Amino acid sequence: NPSFAQGDIILFAGCDEHQTSADAYEHFKAGGAMTTAFIESYSANPRTTYANLIALIHQRLRAKRHTQIPQLSSSQRFDPNQRIFNLEDDFQMNMNPEAGKAVTRKFKPQKPNFGNSPVGSMLLAAGFAVFVAPALLDVAVDVG
């Protein structure tokens, strides 16, 4: 699988998929609301679990009246209540051999076939009205 990742990939997202991540402006510096809450939460609690860290981030976002809900995703299962978040030496191998994008068979693009469809009939009638009918009327006027 060409898209297989050797390491375990963990993602902190700023919000749920149906939400929008907010911007923050703190101490005369612009940045993402979730990023700011993440840095503040991690700085105050450098040895905490993933579950506690995401809860602390959410608390800080709510305290600043942000409605977004931060999300945690991973390429493989782990217990977020037990695993300690660590930026320095928590690198783990990916134990899921199926992770990554599967390569699928490629097909040649097909030419559109409007022949027997309602859309095809409509396009044929419109083409006749725009191109053929005026030419026939010109011939009829010239002959008459």
Side-chain angles (χ1 to χ4, degrees):
N1 184 348
S3 299
F4 179 75
Q6 295 292 325
D8 179 22
I9 300 167
I10 299 173
L11 168 73
F12 285 91
C15 63
D16 197 7
E17 63 185 35
H18 66 275
Q19 295 179 311
T20 303
S21 288
D23 290 328
Y25 192 77
E26 306 226 356
H27 310 294
F28 304 104
K29 294 180 183 176
M34 189 272 194
T35 303
T36 303
F38 177 92
I39 292 168
E40 291 172 353
S41 298
Y42 180 70
S43 297
N45 301 280
R47 295 281 305 161
T48 190
T49 64
Y50 279 85
N52 191 46
L53 182 59
I54 202 85
L56 291 169
I57 293 167
H58 192 206
Q59 287 173 2
R60 289 182 187 272
L61 288 169
R62 281 192 316 223
K64 295 177 182 173
R65 302 189 188 273
H66 295 293
T67 58
Q68 66 196 65
I69 302 169
Q71 304 293 306
L72 178 65
S73 301
S74 176
S75 62
Q76 59 190 3
R77 288 182 182 265
F78 71 92
D79 184 351
N81 294 305
Q82 297 296 319
R83 189 168 170 186
I84 302 293
F85 178 76
N86 186 338
L87 286 172
E88 297 174 12
D89 59 3
D90 190 30
F91 301 104
Q92 298 188 12
M93 295 301 292
N94 187 351
M95 303 310 240
N96 184 357
E98 301 297 319
K101 181 180 176 187
V103 178
T104 58
R105 186 173 161 215
K106 296 181 180 177
F107 296 93
K108 289 183 181 180
Q110 295 181 353
K111 293 180 182 177
N113 182 5
F114 295 115
N116 296 328
S117 72
V119 173
S121 300
M122 184 179 71
L123 290 172
L124 184 61
F128 180 82
V130 171
F131 297 109
V132 178
L136 289 176
L137 289 174
D138 283 344
V139 170
V141 171
D142 289 341
V143 172

